[in-house]
Amino acid sequence: MNEAILSAKHLTKRFGGLAAVNDVSLDLWRDRIHAVIGPNGAGKSTLANLLAGDVAPTAGKVTLAGRDVTGSKPEKLSRAGLGRSYQKTNIFLPFTVWENVRLAAQSRTPHAARWLALASSVRETNERAQRALELTGLQSRRDAVAGTVSHGEQRQLEIAMTLATDPRVMLLDEPLAGMGAAEAERMVELLLKLKRGHAMLLVEHDMDAVFALADHLTVMVNGQVIASGVPNEVRADAGVQSAYLGEES
Ligand code: ADP
Ligand code: MG
C-alpha cells in the first residue's frame, strides 16, 4: 500500500483579499504524524478546515483514499474515514463523557440504520464508543458530566469523540492547548499510541510535543509553506530559524 491516505494539492483559500492558505500541498500516510506549526494567523486551522470539508477551497484538490473529495461536506468525509478535532472544543458540556462519545459514534452510523435503530447497528455504535473510551483512558470518567471533568480530560474526550467515528485520518487542531506539563505528557503518550493505524495531521504549538511526535514537519507563515520535511532538518533550516523557531534554538 504505497499511497498517501489523504493528499492535498495546491490548496488555496481566500477570504476576500487575504490568502489564509496559499498553494499548500501535503500528504498524510498511515502510521505517520505530520505536524504543522506556525505563528498565530499562519493558516493552520484553515488548512485543517479545508481538509475536513468545513471550508471549501478557492483552488486546489483533496483526495481521500484515491478519491477526489474536493468540496465534500464534513458528514460525508467523516463517513469516508476522516476524523477531526477542533481547536475550540466540540464537547456538549451538560452531557456525560459517555453520552458525548456515544453521540460521536452514532454520527458514523448510516441514517437508515439509525432511524430503524437496528439492534446490530446499536451494538456496533456502543462498541465503537466503548473502544474510544478505553483507548483514551477515560473509562473511569464515563459517567461524569463533561463540564465537570478537568481541562486535560476534556481534551482527551475530544480525541475520544474523534476516535468514535472510526477514522483512518485524524486531523487534530492544538490538542495540547492550555495543558499543564503532566497533562501534556499524557496527551503525547496517547497520540503516540494512536499513530498506529491512523494517518494524523497535528497542528500544535508545543514544540517538545511536536519534536517527540512528528515524522514530518511543515512550517506555515502567512498562509504559505516555508519549509517541510524531516523534523530535525526543518529545525536546522535557516529560514525557519529566523521566521519562527529563532528563539527556540
Ligand atoms: P492559525 O490557525 O494558524 O492561527 P487561521 O487559519 O485561524 O490561522 O487563520 C488564518 C488567517 O485567516 C487569519 O488572518 C484569520 O483571521 C483568517 N481567517 C480565518 N478564518 C476566517 C474566516 N472565516 N473569514 C475571514 N478570515 C478568516
Ligand atoms: Mg488555529
Side-chain angles (χ1 to χ4, degrees):
M1 202 206 69
N2 216 357
E3 189 188 52
I5 299 182
L6 184 141
S7 182
K9 298 259 186 282
H10 305 294
L11 273 186
T12 293
K13 178 64 191 181
R14 287 182 190 285
F15 294 112
L18 173 82
V21 169
N22 194 350
D23 195 23
V24 172
S25 299
L26 60 80
D27 290 325
L28 302 181
W29 306 78
R30 189 188 145 107
D31 301 329
R32 285 201 220 166
I33 297 180
H34 187 142
V36 176
I37 63 171
N40 278 330
K44 307 177 300 294
S45 291
T46 303
L47 176 63
N49 288 339
L50 286 167
L51 299 179
D54 290 317
V55 160
T58 310
K61 184 175 158 181
V62 182
T63 56
L64 181 59
R67 283 175 44 218
D68 188 342
V69 294
T70 315
S72 291
K73 292 281 172 263
E75 306 76 52
K76 188 179 167 196
L77 290 171
S78 171
R79 285 201 193 96
L82 192 131
R84 166 82 200 274
S85 87
Y86 290 84
Q87 184 174 3
K88 282 193 180 156
T89 178
N90 215 15
I91 298 167
F92 197 50
L93 294 173
F95 281 20
T96 66
V97 165
W98 169 253
E99 285 163 343
N100 271 283
V101 178
R102 178 71 175 61
L103 280 171
Q106 198 171 42
S107 72
R108 183 71 142 95
T109 310
H111 287 295
R114 230 187 290 173
W115 186 247
L116 295 168
L118 295 176
S120 61
S121 113
V122 171
R123 191 173 59 241
E124 274 168 33
T125 301
N126 283 332
E127 283 169 2
R128 259 201 316 276
Q130 182 58 33
R131 244 189 340 263
L133 267 195
E134 282 165 12
L135 268 169
T136 50
L138 283 172
Q139 182 55 33
S140 65
R141 308 297 278 143
R142 178 191 164 100
D143 297 319
V145 172
T148 68
V149 305
S150 73
H151 175 74
E153 286 169 334
Q154 287 185 2
R155 301 306 298 194
Q156 281 170 273
L157 173 56
E158 185 87 20
I159 304 286
M161 289 164 67
T162 307
L163 277 174
T165 65
D166 205 11
R168 291 202 282 172
V169 180
M170 299 181 78
L171 308 175
L172 306 180
D173 198 353
E174 301 198 26
L176 277 76
M179 282 190 169
E183 288 178 330
E185 212 169 293
R186 278 179 65 190
M187 183 57 86
V188 167
E189 273 172 35
L190 173 59
L191 298 183
L192 218 40
K193 187 164 75 176
L194 298 181
K195 174 167 131 162
R196 267 231 163 127
H198 297 102
M200 202 184 288
L201 180 86
L202 175 68
V203 173
E204 188 48 63
H205 277 297
D206 183 322
M207 287 304 146
D208 290 337
V210 164
F211 285 104
L213 288 168
D215 301 290
H216 194 103
L217 178 59
T218 290
V219 184
M220 285 179 74
V221 175
N222 291 329
Q224 284 177 307
V225 172
I226 63 159
S228 192
V230 178
N232 280 331
E233 288 172 13
V234 171
R235 197 205 312 242
D237 183 286
V240 173
Q241 298 260 342
S242 64
Y244 186 54
L245 290 172
E247 72 280 14
E248 298 264 333
S249 52

